[in-house]
Amino acid sequence: FHDTGANDRLASHVGHDTFHRNLFLLLCGCMFRYVLGQHDIIAFHHIMDTCSFKSLIEYFGYRLIGSIYINYPLGIDTFFIVDKQIVGGNVNQHVCIIRTKENLVPSFICSFLLSNYGQRQIDSFQAGGNRQGLNFEQIKSIKITIPSKDEQIKIAKLLRAIDERIATQNKIIDKLQSLIKGVAQNVARNNKPNIRLSECLECSSSTLQESDVCKNGTYPVYGANGIVGYLDNYNTEKEAVYIIKDGSGVGTVSYVTGKCSATGTLNTLQAKEGYSLQYLYYMLKVFNFEPYKTGMAIPHIYFKDYGKAKIFCPSYTEQLKYARLLSAIDNKLSAEQSILTDLSLQKQYLLRQMFI
């Protein structure tokens, strides 16, 4: 690496050398305008707060490319490459800048730092404290493997191809999710509400706690974030809609089939005779629960309140048609999400095998 200066020399360095660098490894914090160059690598030195993260996403959006996807909270193990669309960005005073020599390919180094070998070195520098961070001496001490430049390019191209495929897969998933929401909203908004939720649904609750479930068992137990454990007995036999009744995810619904149970943070909704539970599930996905939320610190919803609201419910035959249509899209969505998982696992495997 070329040493282009530590944090306190960043501003003066950038002014003289903005258009002549091959790679910037940017560490720490928030980004502003007028410094970033093409093929820069950005690495977050400190965990970002919510405000900084939102500002970053609003500015860069989906124009970010590189070796990983951004997840909150952003940590020091987060890296991505700046493309020509966002050249001209800036960084704050918490940033170190590193430039590679000619024998190093920027995207290869980015992948190396994201590998288990690179991450173990970064993790070894974190010796307690409330806030993770790196200093310039630690960065310079990172040991790297340097194959031939041709091999670096091949590795970088392979990983970049997988990244591009993952990005495409995410777009496919986003479009399918939007399609499901759009169809359901179109049905709900373009037809006059004609029945109360309490007339077509029954609601029940559970006293089961997560501490009551086991790691192994015959039947799954669902909580606010999906399956939380297993039991050898069950409360739901065929199908059910689980709805989060309190907390940050209040109003979120999920459709389950088969023998299972739910914890106390969920209410169980069952369809009355003559109604399709799957159709009602899709209507609840686009239902506005805001007017029915109570509580300041921890929001709650109660069936006795939102059960009075009306929704559009056509004949049973029409309900089944809508349910089959939306279910088919949902099945396609699940298949595409499985492909995304496989691609992510493939990339993780390659990172482990390429950098030992």
Side-chain angles (χ1 to χ4, degrees), residues 123-154:
D123 291 341
S124 69
F125 299 137
Q126 310 309 309
N130 295 326
R131 189 172 185 178
Q132 294 180 322
L134 293 172
N135 59 50
F136 197 68
E137 292 302 318
Q138 290 171 330
I139 298 166
K140 289 196 297 183
S141 70
I142 294 175
K143 296 179 180 179
I144 62 175
T145 301
I146 307 178
S148 67
K149 196 165 185 178
D150 287 342
E151 188 173 351
Q152 292 180 51
I153 292 172
K154 289 179 181 178

Side-chain angles (χ1 to χ4, degrees), residues 18 32 42 55 66 88 99 112 120 122 187 198-199 219 228 236 291:
T18 302
F32 309 96
I42 295 179
S55 298
R99 181 188 301 155
F112 177 85
R120 284 198 299 269
I122 292 173
V187 174
S198 59
E199 295 178 50
Y219 307 109
V228 295
T236 303

Side-chain angles (χ1 to χ4, degrees), residues 214-252:
C214 307
K215 291 183 179 180
N216 300 305
T218 308
Y219 307 109
V221 178
Y222 289 87
N225 297 312
I227 296 177
V228 295
Y230 296 85
L231 290 174
D232 290 328
N233 51 43
Y234 56 88
N235 294 328
T236 303
E237 187 171 0
K238 294 183 179 180
E239 62 175 355
V241 169
Y242 290 147
I243 181 169
I244 299 177
K245 64 181 182 180
D246 53 48
S248 59
V250 63
T252 302

